[in-house]
Amino acid sequence: NNFLHFLMADKMPEFTVDIDAIKGFLDPQEGWALYDRCLAAGELGPTLEIGSYCGKSTVYLGEACRISGRSLFAVDHHRGSEEHQPGEFYHDPELFDSASGLVDTFRLFRQTLRAAGLEQVVVPIVAATQVAARDWSTPLGMVFIDGGHSFDAAQADYDCWAPHVRVGGILAIHDIFPNPNDGGQAPYSIWQQAIASGLFEDLGIVRTLGVLRRKDG
Ligand code: MG
């Protein structure tokens, strides 16, 4: 089994929340892979994720950071990506704030953090990726990109955060579809760029989660 071969940790944690009940688009195997790599990356530095939504991936990564004593920075403007807007395919009426007339995933995100006991681990950054990155200088053990799926959004996430991954650290990208019939191509495009840069080693793809390691030089 490729998945088990991929994992480094011999034991997975038990969550205080029902992880499958948290809204989101992360497969459990992808979640375990994130947890596993994040746990190891804790030796190098904190982890940063882009695109927290309601906090499903945040719980996997946050649990690993809790164990390693690191912070998890969770970047999301919490207004939903293009596909979450009213009228779009992934719109969820429960996440629509009628007072502001905008999608608001922050309320559920905070609820998830509290239920998961991760408020002392996760640092929510409620901002667009470029705003969060503008004055960023902390080297990161791991970056997980799962933000907007337009080419512009994915490119901005890659340009903003890939340079902060420490040598030996992990760059993980969600929603990799090498076949265009299976899904949008923006995440796959930045995954290809990372490999073409010569700076990242391909550690494999778990379902749609691409995992890369920053090389020396
Ligand atoms: Mg995703």
Side-chain angles (χ1 to χ4, degrees):
N1 181 309
N2 279 342
F3 173 61
L4 292 177
H5 176 72
F6 180 88
L7 294 175
M8 298 164 74
D10 53 5
K11 192 164 164 283
M12 293 304 168
E14 285 180 19
F15 301 118
T16 60
V17 284
D18 177 6
I19 189 87
D20 298 322
I22 302 171
K23 288 178 193 287
F25 310 94
L26 192 75
D27 180 273
Q29 287 197 350
E30 297 171 335
W32 291 131
L34 284 178
Y35 166 82
D36 185 63
R37 290 293 159 172
C38 185
L39 193 58
E43 270 187 45
L44 294 172
T47 287
L48 183 142
E49 72 167 358
I50 304 106
S52 303
Y53 196 59
C54 298
K56 182 172 273 197
S57 58
T58 319
V59 171
Y60 285 103
L61 293 169
E63 187 60 21
C65 287
R66 192 183 62 74
I67 291 168
S68 62
R70 291 290 188 178
S71 296
L72 169 61
F73 299 97
V75 178
D76 196 315
H77 48 54
H78 287 288
R79 292 306 189 190
S81 300
E82 303 85 350
E83 67 275 19
H84 302 132
Q85 301 309 314
E88 300 297 326
F89 187 74
Y90 288 104
H91 178 66
D92 181 340
E94 275 180 40
L95 299 174
F96 187 74
D97 172 29
S98 50
S100 62
L102 297 167
V103 171
D104 181 3
T105 54
F106 190 50
R107 189 177 59 85
L108 251 73
F109 177 72
R110 294 186 81 181
Q111 201 172 297
T112 300
L113 288 192
R114 186 172 170 80
L118 288 171
E119 288 172 307
Q120 305 303 314
V121 175
V122 179
V123 182
I125 301 178
V126 185
T129 203
Q130 294 96 332
V131 178
R134 195 163 50 214
D135 280 314
W136 191 270
S137 58
T138 302
L140 298 166
M142 177 167 173
V143 165
F144 173 47
I145 297 180
D146 190 21
H149 286 33
S150 69
F151 278 90
D152 285 353
Q155 192 66 50
D157 289 337
Y158 178 73
D159 292 343
C160 283
W161 300 108
H164 294 291
V165 179
R166 284 191 62 180
V167 168
I170 297 295
L171 173 64
I173 303 171
H174 197 226
D175 300 309
I176 303 293
F177 297 110
N179 182 346
N181 296 326
D182 296 333
Q185 294 294 286
Y188 182 52
S189 140
I190 60 171
W191 180 86
Q192 288 177 302
Q193 285 175 51
I195 289 175
S197 74
L199 294 173
F200 291 92
E201 175 193 354
D202 178 9
L203 295 186
I205 296 178
V206 176
R207 290 188 176 258
T208 73
L209 178 74
V211 183
L212 306 156
R213 179 162 45 208
R214 178 69 161 83
K215 293 195 263 189
D216 237 324

